[in-house]
Amino acid sequence: MNLDEIIEQHLSSNVASGHRPSSNGIITQASQGWEPHNLVLLENGYVNTDLVEDDSRIFTLAKVDYPITSKLSAMAVSNNILFMAIDTMHLLRIDLDKAEEVEDIEIPRRPSEGRIYKMFFDPTGRHLIITTETGDNFYLFSKWKKAKMLTKIRGVIIESVAWNRSADRPHDSSTKEFLIGTRNGLIFEAELEPTAELFKKEERYFKQVYSIGANMPISGLRMEQFPASPRKYVVVAVTPTRIYQFIGNITPNNSSMVIPGVDDRPIFENLFSKYEVNPGFSELPGDLRYSELHFFCPYQDIHYHGVAKTFAWLNGAGIYHGNLVFGSQNVGDSVIDMPHLLPYPATLSAAVEFPISIALTEFHFILLYKERIRAVNQLNDQIVFDELIPLMAFEEVLGMTVDTTKNTFWIYTQLSLFELVVTKEDRDVWTLYLEKKQYDMALQYAKNAAQKDRVLTLHANHHYAQQRYMLSAKYFAQSTVPFEEVALKFVERDERDALRSYLLTKVEKLKKVDVTQKTIVCTWLAEIYLSKLNQLEDQAASSTDQAEVRNMEEEQRYLNDEFRAFLEVNKTYLDKKTTYKLMASHGRIEQLLYYATLIGDHERVISHWVQEKNYLVALEVLSKQESLETYYRFSPVLMENVPYETVSAWMRQPNLNPRNLIPALLKYDHKKSLEPGAQNQAIRYLSYVVAQQNTDPAIHNFLLTLYATQPTRDESALLTFLANEGRDQHYNLDYALRICTQNNRIQSCVNIFSSMGLYGEAVELALKHNDLELARINADKPEDDEILRKTLWLKIARHVVKEKKDIKSAMEFLSHSDLLKIEDILPFFPDFVLIDDFKEEICKALEEYNQHIGDLKTEMDEATKSAENIRVDVRELRSRFSIVASTERCTVCDYPLLTRQFYIFPCQHSFHADCLIKNFTPSLSVQRLKRLEELQEQIQLEMHNQQRIHLNSTATLQPLTLGNGTPNGVDPSGVPTVTTTAVGGGLVQLPGQLIGHTGAAVMALGGALGAGGKVLVHGGVSIVGSAAGTAAGVFKDVILAEGKEVINMGLGLVGAVTGAGGGDDAAVVVPRLDVLRDELDDIIASECLLCGDLMIKTIDQPFIANNEHELELSWGVQ
C-alpha cells in the first residue's frame, strides 16, 4: 500500500464514520488498524512514562487577530519585522515584539500604475525590495517612512533575490553584494546603500553577471559561502523545470568601497564567467509554471549564520530535496548530496494537486494548498499534519512567507493572516530513526533516559544478532539490560573479549559507594586479563608462522598495557591477597610485581629481586619508595653485596637515621677497601653523615673506631676527623683514648689528651716518643693559663737538656717560647758547665731587665703629672659661674625665670623646674617614671617634717661684693643681676627686692649650677646649695655672711661650715633631703632639654601634639 492509498483510506474511514481528521493530522498506526506499541516496563516493574507517546500538537494553525481594511497583495517577514502590501500602494510595517504599533508607509506610485508583485526582505530585517507587475522597483530602509524608486533597476521584474548572508558587517547600513533573478532568465549583481542626500542614488551598482540563455524566470536564487574558503561561493538558481549550480571564487572589489557612477567590476562576475559555455543543470519536466527554492540552516542568527544543511525545490514533478555538502568542489561539481524526489500526495479524487508554496524545516516540508496546509515528514515521507484553512466566501490563499531568523511561518489571503506554530518538531524523530535502524541519529534526538535506553538496547541487540560482539558489548554496557543477562549472553558464546569490554565499561559506570560490586567485577576482569595473556603466550609458542607470532606478540603487548592501565585505575577495589593468589596461579610474575608496586607493597618487590640476587634492581625499587623501615630491613643484605650503590642510595635519602643503619654497616666487608683505588664505603657514609652536622655519639664513636682500626700507620684521616670535631666533640673521649691506645695511634692519643685538657699528659706522651714538635704544639694550647704553659715548656726544656745533653740545642730551644728565660733553664744544667755556651743569653736577659725598669720609671712620672693636672682642673671648675638677668625667661613657658624655682645649663638654656619635669617625663621609661614619683613623695614628706620647726633666731646678712668692689645685684647699667656658679664652690646672688618682707622666705635657685654651689642673695641671706635642691621648692641650708655656724632650721643638717667665702676646704655635711634631691636632679636635669640626647630621640615627633588642637586653632587668621 503506497502513501496515497494510506491517506485515501484514512480520510475515507473518517468520513464514513462521521469524524473529522485528527486535530494534529497525524496518521498513527492505531488509526490504520495496527496494534500500538506495548508500553516499556522498567526492571522494577513500573511503567516508564517517558516512553508514553506525547499527543500534544506539533503543528498548530492559528488565525492572527488583526483587522485588514484593504486587500493584501504581498507579504514578507524577517527578524520579527512583518510587512504587508495592500492594494492602495501602502505598506504596513509591524514589529512583532511591539505588535500594537503599526507603521503606514507610502509607496510613491498610484494603484492604477500596476499592483505590487513580490517583496524581498533581507535576513537582518532592514532592507526591503518591492517589485511591481510593470517592472518598477522600490527600496525601503528600516528607518525610512517612505519607499524610494530604484531608477537603475527600472523595467526589471524581479522573481528572486539571493541575499549575501556571509556579510561581515551586521551593523553596516549597506546590503552588501547580492544577486537578483529576473523573469526573463537574467542574473544581476547589485548593492544598495540608503542615503539621505537628494541627488544621490541608493544603487551603488547594478550589473548583469549571467544569463541562462532561455526565456524562463529565475524563480529561486540562493548563495552560500564555503566554510573552509571565504572566497569560494556556490550559487543555486532554479526555474520551473531546471536547477543550476555555479561554484567558484569571487573577486573582491576595492574593499567594497564602490564610487557612485564608476562602473566597478562585480565580485561574482568571475564566478559566473566559468559557466558561459554549456552550463550544467538538472531538469525535471513538468507543467508547473512557478517554482520555489529554500535552504535550511540549523543556526539562524542575525550575527552568525551557519552553513545551509538541506534544500528543497518545489517544481512540477514534486519536491526535489537533499543534503548540501561543502568540501573541495570546483567548477562543474555539485554540492547536492543524496537527492530525492518526493511526489505530491494524491487527493480523494486521485488527481494531483500542486501546492501554492513550500516551506522547509529541519524535519518537515510544509505544503500550502488553496484550501489546506500539510506537513510531510522528511524521514518517512508521511503526512503528519493536514488541516483546512478557515476561509470566508470568495477568500483566496495568496502565499506563505517564512522568517528564517526566528523560524516562524505565515500564511496570508486577501483579508486574513494566519501563523503556523511549530512546537517540538523533533519530538518523535528518534523513533523514526530507530525504525530505519539509524541508531546513532536516534540516540542523538532521544530526549530522556528511557528513550536513550531503548535506543541503546536495540542497538546492542542488533550488533549481537550480527555477531559484532565488541560493539554489542559497548552498547549493552550503556543500557539498563540486567548485568547477569548480558554476562550470560557472552559466556554462552565464549566471547571473553566482548565480556571484558562490557565489564570494563560497566565498572566505570558503578558509583564509588558500590565497593563490593566493583571488587567482584574487577577481580573477574583481572582473571580474564590473565587468562587472555596466557592464551596469547601459548598460541605464540605453538605457532610456526612468524607473521602470526609477531601479531600475537604485538597483541600481547597491547593487552599487557591495557591490563596495567586497568590495575592502575582500579587498584583500590582489588583485594590484595586474592589478586596475589590469582596472579601467582597464572604464573604472571611481571604483572604481580607491577601490581605490588602500584599498591605500595615494595617489600614484596624487593624481596623478589633479592631472592633473584638482582640486587641492583632491588636497590632501585628501594630508592623509589619512601618507607624508612624498608630501608632498615633490606640495607644489610644490600650493603653486603652492592655497598657503593647502597651508600649512594642512603645519601640520597636525608630522612634516614644513621644509628639504625649501623647493623648494615657492620655487614660491610672491609677487605674490599684494600683493593687498589677502592674506598671504604662505611667510612664514606659516616663521614657524609658527620659532615651533615650529625651529633649522635654512636655515629662519631663508630667512625673513630673505623679510622683507628684501619690497616695503615697513616693517622692523617683520624687526625683530620679529630680536628674537625674541635672542642665540641661528639665522641666519647675515654673510649677514643682507649681505642687509639690499643691501635698505637700516638698522635691521636696526644690530640685526645689535649681535648680532655690534660696538657701535661699530652706533652709527656709526646716526649716519651721523642716528638718534640708535637710536644711544643700541645704546650702552647692552654693560652689562658701562662703558668701551665710555662710548666709544660719547662718539662720540654728539662727533656731537651737531660736527654740530649746539648747546651747549644737547649739555647736554641729558648727561641721557640717567649715564656722561658735563661734563668728558668739554668737549674737543669749540670753543675760543671762552661758559661761560654750561654754567656750571650745571660747578657741579653740583664739588658732586658734594665730596659723594663726604665719603662716603669717613665710611667710613674707621667702618672704624677696627670694627677697634678687633674687637681688644677678641679680648682678651675669651682670658680665657674653664670650670670642670670632678672628679665631672663623660661625657655618653655616664656614666663620670668626668677618667679619660680629654675634650672640653668652650661648651654645658657634655662627652665622652670616644673616646666622641665613636665617635658622630661614623657620620655622616661616606666621604671624611672615610677622612681621619680617616689622621690617627689619622699621629698614632700621630708619637707613637711622640716616645716614644723621654726627659725629660732635671725641675723642680718651683709651683701657680698665682687672682686672689683661693685655691689652684687646691680650691673653698670642699673639692671638687677644674679651671679650664679655653674659648678660647686661658686656663688649665686639674688636681688634683695625678690626676698619676702620678713627676709626668711627665700626663692629657690636651680641646682643645675653644680653640686655644693652657694647662693648669696642681695639683702642679707646666703645659701649653700646643692645641684638638686631647688626641685623640692626650698634651699638646703642657710649660713651667716660672716661665716658663723649654720642654723639647723629643721632641715636635718648635721655639721658646720667655716669661712665667710666658702673656701675650697669648707666642709659641708649633706642631709637626707639633699640626697633625695640629688637623685631627683639626676633624673630630670642630667641634660639640657634642647641640646641633649632627648632632642635627637624625639626629632620624628610632630611640632603640634594631638592634645594641642586648641592651640592650633588659635593661630588661624581672623
Side-chain angles (χ1 to χ4, degrees):
M1 184 179 293
N2 58 25
L3 178 62
D4 296 336
E5 293 174 347
I6 293 175
I7 296 173
E8 185 175 355
Q9 179 181 352
H10 172 65
L11 294 176
S12 60
S13 62
N14 286 338
V15 173
S17 60
H19 294 288
R20 298 286 296 172
S22 60
S23 59
N24 57 3
I26 299 176
I27 304 174
T28 62
Q29 293 175 345
S31 64
Q32 299 177 22
W34 298 333
E35 292 294 331
H37 292 294
N38 294 328
L39 297 177
V40 177
L41 297 180
L42 296 179
E43 297 178 17
N44 55 15
Y46 291 99
V47 176
N48 187 350
T49 57
D50 289 339
L51 288 177
V52 177
E53 293 184 0
D54 186 1
D55 59 353
S56 62
R57 298 166 63 94
I58 296 177
F59 298 95
T60 304
L61 182 64
K63 185 175 182 179
V64 179
D65 187 12
Y66 179 78
I68 301 177
T69 58
S70 300
K71 291 184 180 182
L72 294 178
S73 58
M75 179 177 169
V77 61
S78 180
N79 197 23
N80 249 13
I81 305 296
L82 186 144
F83 276 97
M84 292 184 292
I86 58 181
D87 288 344
T88 59
M89 298 307 291
H90 281 256
L91 294 176
L92 299 180
R93 178 163 55 191
I94 303 175
D95 187 348
L96 296 178
D97 294 329
K98 304 175 183 179
E100 68 279 359
E101 300 178 4
V102 180
E103 296 182 65
D104 190 346
I105 299 174
E106 180 185 357
I107 299 178
R109 183 182 178 88
R110 291 188 299 271
S112 59
E113 296 178 357
R115 59 191 299 270
I116 295 176
Y117 176 54
K118 286 184 178 180
M119 294 193 300
F120 305 95
F121 207 3
D122 84 310
T124 65
R126 295 182 298 171
H127 307 282
L128 179 68
I129 297 176
I130 308 158
T131 184
T132 64
E133 294 177 344
T134 59
D136 292 334
N137 299 290
F138 299 87
Y139 171 64
L140 179 66
F141 186 57
S142 60
K143 298 180 181 180
W144 291 355
K145 302 298 182 181
K146 185 176 181 181
K148 293 184 179 182
M149 179 178 286
L150 299 175
T151 56
K152 289 187 177 181
I153 317 180
R154 193 167 187 177
V156 177
I157 300 177
I158 301 176
E159 291 286 346
S160 58
V161 171
W163 300 103
N164 193 347
R165 294 173 178 265
S166 63
D168 55 358
R169 303 191 300 264
H171 301 291
D172 193 357
S173 60
S174 170
T175 62
K176 209 176 179 181
E177 304 83 4
F178 67 96
L179 299 177
I180 296 175
T182 66
R183 178 172 292 182
N184 54 359
L186 301 179
I187 298 178
F188 291 86
E189 180 181 336
E191 181 177 0
L192 303 178
E193 184 174 11
T195 178
E197 298 181 15
L198 184 60
F199 298 103
K200 186 176 181 181
K201 300 299 181 180
E202 282 70 23
E203 306 96 315
R204 297 184 68 174
Y205 66 92
F206 176 75
K207 188 173 182 179
Q208 178 182 336
V209 291
Y210 192 74
S211 173
I212 63 174
N215 190 15
M216 294 185 295
I218 307 295
S219 54
L221 190 63
R222 288 295 299 265
M223 72 168 70
E224 285 291 335
Q225 184 183 34
F226 278 70
S229 180
R231 293 182 56 189
K232 182 184 285 189
Y233 279 76
V234 58
V235 177
V236 180
V238 296
T239 67
T241 58
R242 295 180 182 179
I243 181 170
Y244 294 83
Q245 298 183 61
F246 307 95
I247 300 176
N249 294 327
I250 63 173
T251 304
N253 53 24
N254 49 354
S255 301
S256 298
M257 299 299 295
V258 182
I259 303 174
V262 178
D263 188 13
D264 289 273
R265 183 179 180 183
I267 65 173
F268 286 94
E269 190 173 28
N270 180 62
L271 182 148
F272 286 104
S273 63
K274 309 296 182 181
Y275 294 89
E276 292 180 354
V277 180
N278 297 325
F281 59 87
S282 299
E283 188 170 4
L284 295 176
D287 298 330
L288 197 63
R289 304 184 64 179
Y290 59 89
S291 67
E292 291 183 5
L293 176 65
H294 294 276
F295 282 9
F296 175 78
C297 176
Y299 306 101
Q300 299 283 353
D301 188 83
I302 188 172
H303 298 290
Y304 172 74
H305 180 79
V307 180
K309 177 183 177 183
T310 58
F311 81 99
W313 172 32
L314 174 67
N315 58 77
I319 302 173
Y320 185 72
H321 64 95
N323 298 329
L324 297 175
V325 178
F326 299 91
S328 59
Q329 294 95 334
N330 290 313
V331 177
D333 296 334
S334 173
V335 296
I336 297 176
D337 183 42
M338 299 175 62
H340 297 280
L341 179 64
L342 176 64
Y344 299 118
T347 60
L348 294 176
S349 60
V352 176
E353 183 180 3
F354 296 101
I356 299 173
S357 181
I358 184 176
L360 179 63
T361 67
E362 186 174 5
F363 299 106
H364 297 87
F365 303 114
I366 300 175
L367 304 179
L368 178 64
Y369 294 88
K370 294 180 179 180
E371 297 180 351
R372 67 176 62 248
I373 185 168
R374 286 176 175 173
V376 179
N377 194 295
Q378 299 180 27
L379 300 179
N380 57 6
D381 297 339
Q382 294 207 4
I383 299 175
V384 296
F385 175 74
D386 189 351
E387 187 169 333
L388 294 173
I389 301 175
L391 301 175
M392 295 182 297
F394 305 107
E395 189 174 5
E396 181 182 352
V397 175
L398 297 181
M400 177 171 56
T401 181
V402 181
D403 185 351
T404 57
T405 303
K406 301 299 181 180
N407 200 29
T408 58
F409 305 87
W410 304 84
I411 301 163
Y412 61 96
T413 68
Q414 300 99 324
L415 302 174
S416 303
L417 183 62
F418 300 89
E419 181 181 5
L420 182 65
V421 181
V422 182
T423 307
K424 297 181 182 178
E425 182 188 4
D426 59 347
R427 183 188 65 194
D428 301 322
V429 170
W430 71 278
T431 60
L432 300 177
Y433 280 121
L434 198 60
E435 293 173 0
K436 299 173 71 172
K437 295 184 179 182
Q438 296 182 13
Y439 299 104
D440 292 335
M441 296 300 296
L443 187 63
Q444 179 180 346
Y445 288 100
K447 298 299 182 183
N448 50 58
Q451 295 176 1
K452 292 180 180 179
D453 181 65
R454 176 71 176 264
V455 175
L456 292 170
T457 302
L458 294 177
H459 199 181
N461 287 326
H462 173 74
H463 286 302
Y464 187 84
Q466 298 294 327
Q467 297 184 357
R468 293 191 289 266
Y469 298 110
M470 293 297 291
L471 290 174
S472 176
K474 173 185 175 182
Y475 294 108
F476 269 131
Q478 299 178 45
S479 69
T480 59
V481 179
F483 174 82
E484 56 274 13
E485 178 182 342
V486 178
L488 288 174
K489 282 179 177 288
F490 293 125
V491 171
E492 290 174 357
R493 298 290 181 94
D494 195 24
E495 289 295 331
R496 298 180 68 85
D497 292 340
L499 179 61
R500 183 180 77 246
S501 175
Y502 172 73
L503 294 177
L504 282 173
T505 309
K506 206 66 179 176
V507 78
E508 291 176 359
K509 292 184 174 295
L510 290 174
K511 300 178 181 178
K512 292 184 178 180
V513 296
D514 301 330
V515 179
T516 303
Q517 293 88 331
K518 281 199 168 190
T519 300
I520 294 174
V521 175
C522 289
T523 305
W524 193 3
L525 277 167
E527 195 278 332
I528 293 175
Y529 273 114
L530 295 172
S531 299
K532 184 67 173 179
L533 287 171
N534 286 342
Q535 179 185 353
L536 291 174
E537 195 173 280
D538 294 342
Q539 291 176 357
S542 60
S543 177
T544 57
D545 188 355
Q546 294 299 324
E548 186 177 358
V549 170
R550 285 193 297 270
N551 292 336
M552 290 182 180
E553 291 176 349
E554 183 65 28
E555 184 179 356
Q556 186 177 1
R557 282 193 296 269
Y558 173 78
L559 187 64
N560 187 52
D561 293 340
E562 184 180 330
F563 183 41
R564 289 193 171 196
F566 163 76
L567 291 175
E568 185 174 358
V569 174
N570 301 283
K571 59 181 181 293
T572 56
Y573 302 108
L574 288 169
D575 180 68
K576 181 171 68 173
K577 185 177 180 181
T578 304
T579 306
Y580 279 152
K581 287 183 179 180
L582 194 61
M583 293 180 175
S585 64
H586 284 80
R588 309 305 301 183
I589 301 302
E590 179 185 354
Q591 286 74 19
L592 187 147
L593 295 177
Y594 181 77
Y595 172 69
T597 304
L598 282 178
I599 64 175
D601 191 2
H602 301 285
E603 293 188 3
R604 177 180 290 270
V605 181
I606 299 172
S607 298
H608 169 78
W609 293 118
V610 169
Q611 292 175 4
E612 295 291 328
K613 295 185 179 182
N614 196 339
Y615 302 107
L616 292 177
V617 177
L619 184 60
E620 182 181 356
V621 176
L622 179 66
S623 302
K624 292 180 179 179
Q625 60 89 40
E626 299 294 334
S627 175
L628 301 181
E629 295 300 327
T630 307
Y631 271 95
Y632 302 144
R633 177 182 174 185
F634 292 99
S635 288
V637 65
L638 295 175
M639 189 66 183
E640 185 177 1
N641 293 278
V642 282
Y644 177 80
E645 292 79 4
T646 303
V647 168
S648 299
W650 290 350
M651 294 168 67
R652 290 192 297 268
Q653 178 52 268
N655 297 324
L656 288 173
N657 186 354
R659 178 187 283 266
N660 296 335
L661 294 175
I662 291 178
L665 293 171
L666 293 175
K667 284 284 187 178
Y668 176 64
D669 185 5
H670 294 274
K671 294 180 181 179
K672 295 181 179 180
S673 62
L674 300 178
E675 299 175 0
Q679 184 181 8
N680 191 303
Q681 298 303 317
I683 293 178
R684 174 181 169 228
Y685 176 68
L686 293 175
S687 299
Y688 169 78
V689 171
V690 170
Q692 299 299 317
Q693 309 301 320
N694 183 281
T695 58
D696 189 353
I699 298 300
H700 290 257
N701 289 336
F702 191 16
L703 179 58
L704 186 143
T705 303
L706 294 178
Y707 278 129
T709 56
Q710 290 298 301
T712 176
R713 301 187 62 83
D714 185 10
E715 297 184 46
S716 57
L718 179 56
L719 291 174
T720 302
F721 167 74
L722 296 175
N724 292 335
E725 290 285 314
R727 295 184 178 181
D728 299 330
Q729 59 272 6
H730 301 290
Y731 57 87
N732 186 282
L733 292 172
D734 294 335
Y735 172 78
L737 185 61
R738 183 170 63 255
I739 197 70
C740 290
T741 302
Q742 292 175 358
N743 291 275
N744 198 27
R745 305 297 182 182
I746 304 304
Q747 296 183 31
S748 301
C749 289
V750 172
N751 192 302
I752 294 172
F753 273 128
S754 297
S755 300
M756 298 173 67
L758 302 177
Y759 302 107
E761 287 78 356
V763 173
E764 289 178 359
L765 183 60
L767 294 177
K768 180 179 179 180
H769 291 83
N770 295 319
D771 195 340
L772 290 179
E773 184 64 26
L774 184 60
R776 283 198 296 266
I777 292 173
N778 285 273
D780 280 333
K781 286 186 177 180
E783 298 178 355
D784 299 334
D785 193 347
E786 291 191 0
I787 297 176
L788 178 58
R789 287 177 58 201
K790 187 172 183 179
T791 303
L792 297 176
W793 277 100
L794 287 174
K795 286 184 179 182
I796 300 174
R798 182 186 295 111
H799 176 81
V800 171
V801 173
K802 291 186 176 182
E803 295 296 330
K804 293 189 175 182
K805 298 179 181 180
D806 187 356
I807 303 302
K808 292 185 177 180
S809 298
M811 293 300 100
E812 292 176 0
F813 178 75
L814 289 177
S815 62
H816 295 288
S817 174
D818 56 349
L819 298 177
L820 297 182
K821 306 297 180 183
I822 184 62
E823 60 270 23
D824 296 327
I825 65 173
L826 283 177
F828 303 144
F829 290 162
D831 295 336
F832 301 97
V833 63
L834 295 177
I835 197 173
D836 293 341
D837 294 332
F838 48 90
K839 180 174 64 175
E840 295 180 359
E841 284 74 12
I842 293 176
C843 294
K844 183 177 180 181
L846 293 177
E847 291 176 357
E848 290 179 355
Y849 287 142
N850 289 333
Q851 180 67 31
H852 184 62
I853 292 171
D855 293 341
L856 290 177
K857 288 181 179 181
T858 302
E859 291 179 0
M860 292 174 63
D861 293 341
E862 292 177 354
T864 302
K865 291 180 180 180
S866 297
E868 184 65 24
N869 292 334
I870 291 173
R871 281 194 290 270
V872 172
D873 292 341
V874 170
R875 292 191 189 97
E876 292 178 354
L877 287 175
R878 290 179 179 178
S879 62
R880 292 182 62 183
F881 64 90
S882 177
I883 299 175
V884 180
S886 61
T887 60
E888 189 73 22
R889 293 181 178 272
C890 174
T891 307
V892 175
C893 66
D894 203 35
Y895 279 89
L897 186 65
L898 300 180
T899 57
R900 300 196 303 273
Q901 51 189 337
F902 66 90
Y903 287 89
I904 184 169
F905 291 91
C907 60
Q908 298 304 313
H909 287 124
S910 53
F911 307 91
H912 287 136
D914 55 344
C915 294
L916 186 63
I917 293 174
K918 179 180 179 182
N919 285 272
F920 249 104
T921 50
S923 63
L924 296 178
S925 62
V926 177
Q927 294 81 0
R928 291 179 67 84
L929 190 61
K930 184 176 180 181
R931 180 57 183 163
L932 178 62
E933 294 177 356
E934 293 175 355
L935 290 174
Q936 289 178 341
E937 292 177 359
Q938 294 177 13
I939 290 174
Q940 292 296 334
L941 180 62
E942 189 71 21
M943 290 178 59
H944 180 70
N945 293 334
Q946 293 175 1
Q947 288 175 359
R948 296 178 180 178
I949 302 175
H950 300 284
L951 293 174
N952 295 325
S953 62
T954 58
T956 304
L957 300 179
Q958 299 298 327
L960 293 179
T961 60
L962 299 176
N964 56 7
T966 305
N968 195 11
V970 180
D971 63 5
S973 62
V975 179
T977 62
V978 177
T979 304
T980 65
T981 59
V983 185
L987 297 177
V988 177
Q989 294 185 352
L990 291 177
Q993 58 268 30
L994 297 179
I995 307 302
H997 295 289
T998 61
V1002 182
M1003 300 298 293
L1005 285 179
L1009 298 178
K1014 303 176 181 59
V1015 181
L1016 288 183
V1017 183
H1018 185 67
V1021 181
S1022 177
I1023 298 106
V1024 179
S1026 172
T1030 60
V1034 298
F1035 288 110
K1036 299 173 184 176
D1037 32 78
V1038 179
I1039 62 174
L1040 298 176
E1042 292 82 2
K1044 296 182 180 180
E1045 294 184 355
V1046 178
I1047 301 173
N1048 192 324
M1049 300 189 311
L1051 301 179
L1053 177 65
V1054 179
V1057 180
T1058 60
D1064 294 339
D1065 298 327
V1068 179
V1069 178
V1070 180
R1072 180 173 180 275
L1073 185 59
D1074 289 351
V1075 175
L1076 296 175
R1077 289 169 174 170
D1078 289 344
E1079 187 176 355
L1080 180 66
D1081 278 352
D1082 287 340
I1083 296 176
I1084 64 173
S1086 60
E1087 59 179 352
C1088 175
L1089 183 63
L1090 301 180
C1091 302
D1093 293 339
L1094 179 62
M1095 178 58 66
I1096 298 175
K1097 293 178 181 178
T1098 59
I1099 194 171
D1100 60 334
Q1101 296 182 0
F1103 290 105
I1104 301 175
N1106 294 332
N1107 56 357
E1108 295 179 341
H1109 182 63
E1110 295 182 358
L1111 177 61
E1112 180 182 359
L1113 295 177
S1114 65
W1115 293 347
V1117 179
Q1118 300 297 330

